[in-house]
Amino acid sequence: DVVTLLRGLGVCFLAGLALQALVGGLHKHGLLAMIIVGTLCLLLDGVDGRVARARSEASAFGARFDVETDAALLVVLSVAVAALDLAGWWVLAIPAMRYGYVAASLVVPALRAPLPYRYSGKVIAVVQAVALLAALTSALTRGEHWVPIMILLAALASLCWSFGRSVIWQLRQS
């Protein structure tokens, strides 16, 4: 949980930078800091579970803390990408998918059924953060404006496929 807490602090720092981008723009150094801290948060995401398992400290709370920290990271990065006009506000659909799924599970009990472990789900979750960080990086490099949009659209499509597959599986199980 300590590693996840460090990620959470990084996400809070990123939220401040995203807010700055939203209200007044973000200077090049702020954007670079966002990319570096976001990348560190993403790298630590691959470490926290391993550390907990290696120390026999894995828990349901730790797993939930990890998921919520991941979700917050995607919200903050999506807001920054949209605020910096690297993609439209549609990019908020990336973090909204998870919250929409949770909201739907309150109404549709079948969506509360535990899902089988799928490595593809982990990969697709990481792809979302990588795509958002790539879009932010494109602002530094002044690359073609359509490139980050295509990357983000591909990431969103993979996320829709992943969520769709999970929902269909859960509905069939009920």
Side-chain angles (χ1 to χ4, degrees):
D1 293 343
V2 172
V3 176
T4 305
L5 182 60
L6 286 173
R7 286 181 40 233
L9 291 172
V11 171
C12 289
F13 178 77
L14 292 172
L17 291 172
L19 183 60
Q20 184 179 351
L22 194 60
V23 297
L26 193 62
H27 295 289
K28 194 173 190 175
H29 296 295
L31 182 58
L32 182 59
M34 183 168 245
I35 294 164
I36 291 169
V37 172
T39 301
L40 288 173
C41 287
L42 185 59
L43 291 172
L44 284 175
D45 185 29
V47 171
D48 55 5
R50 288 181 183 165
V51 169
R53 285 186 293 279
R55 296 178 54 144
S56 298
E57 296 175 347
S59 67
F61 172 81
R64 183 66 181 259
F65 189 26
D66 178 57
V67 168
E68 298 303 334
T69 304
D70 293 343
L73 176 64
L74 293 180
V75 168
V76 168
L77 292 176
S78 295
V79 166
V81 165
L84 293 169
D85 200 29
L86 301 172
W89 287 96
W90 60 265
V91 78
L92 289 172
I94 291 172
M97 291 284 288
R98 185 215 180 256
Y99 295 109
Y101 176 79
V102 170
S105 74
L106 297 174
V107 180
V108 181
L111 298 182
R112 292 182 221 142
L115 290 164
Y117 174 80
R118 290 191 176 122
Y119 185 72
S120 62
K122 284 186 168 236
V123 170
I124 289 170
V126 170
V127 164
Q128 305 311 304
V130 169
L132 291 162
L133 288 167
L136 290 170
T137 303
S138 74
L140 273 183
T141 61
R142 305 232 188 262
E144 295 291 327
H145 187 71
W146 61 271
V147 173
I149 292 172
M150 291 295 111
I151 292 170
L152 290 166
L153 283 171
L156 180 58
S158 70
L159 188 63
C160 290
W161 172 81
S162 180
F163 271 96
R165 185 170 97 166
S166 294
V167 167
I168 289 168
W169 185 88
Q170 287 175 309
L171 293 175
R172 285 184 179 163
Q173 295 305 307
S174 69

